[in-house]
Amino acid sequence: QVLLVESGGGLVQAGGSLRLSCAASKRTSSNYAMGWFRQAPGKEREFVAAINWSGGRTYYADSVKGRFTISRDNAKNTMYLQMNSLKPEDTALYYCAARNSGLGITTTDYNYWGQGTQVTVSS
């Protein structure tokens, strides 16, 4: 069982930046890929970014490519999402997820989920 806790959300103006963190309850460096998803009101949960167990491979949704950066610090069992040039359409509840396998980009790929952290971008 892996417990995930997100933090770092908040209210920011368009063009601003935020860094989200996802702390895992156990060592995830050995074989866990991790990802970020988001869900806006009335919409389905959508993929944002994913990273493999070593951090050597990453993958991004087209909507965030060039603005968001996913990374991880396995010594701290923590994953990050640096979000720059934020837009109002980035407003959503952001979830981190983990799976004990390779990269995944759909919600059904992941076994473990956090409770989410709210990101609100004002125009």
Side-chain angles (χ1 to χ4, degrees), residues 8 10-20 66-69 81-88 90-91 94 119-123:
L11 173 64
V12 64
Q13 288 188 331
S17 299
L18 282 174
R19 189 176 83 153
L20 306 184
R67 300 188 298 122
F68 291 10
T69 303
L81 185 68
Q82 177 66 44
M83 306 186 295
N84 298 328
S85 302
L86 282 161
K87 304 175 181 180
D90 294 318
T91 295
Y94 282 70
V119 171
T120 303
V121 184
S122 63
S123 57

Side-chain angles (χ1 to χ4, degrees), residues 23-70:
S25 63
K26 63 174 283 187
R27 183 171 174 264
T28 54
S29 60
S30 58
N31 58 353
Y32 281 83
M34 300 183 75
W36 287 98
F37 290 76
R38 66 187 182 186
Q39 188 167 19
K43 295 188 176 182
E44 293 187 354
R45 194 171 299 189
E46 65 174 5
F47 169 75
V48 175
I51 189 166
N52 75 329
W53 69 272
S54 69
R57 289 182 59 211
T58 58
Y59 192 76
Y60 296 92
D62 287 343
S63 59
V64 306
K65 203 172 295 183
R67 300 188 298 122
F68 291 10
T69 303
I70 190 171

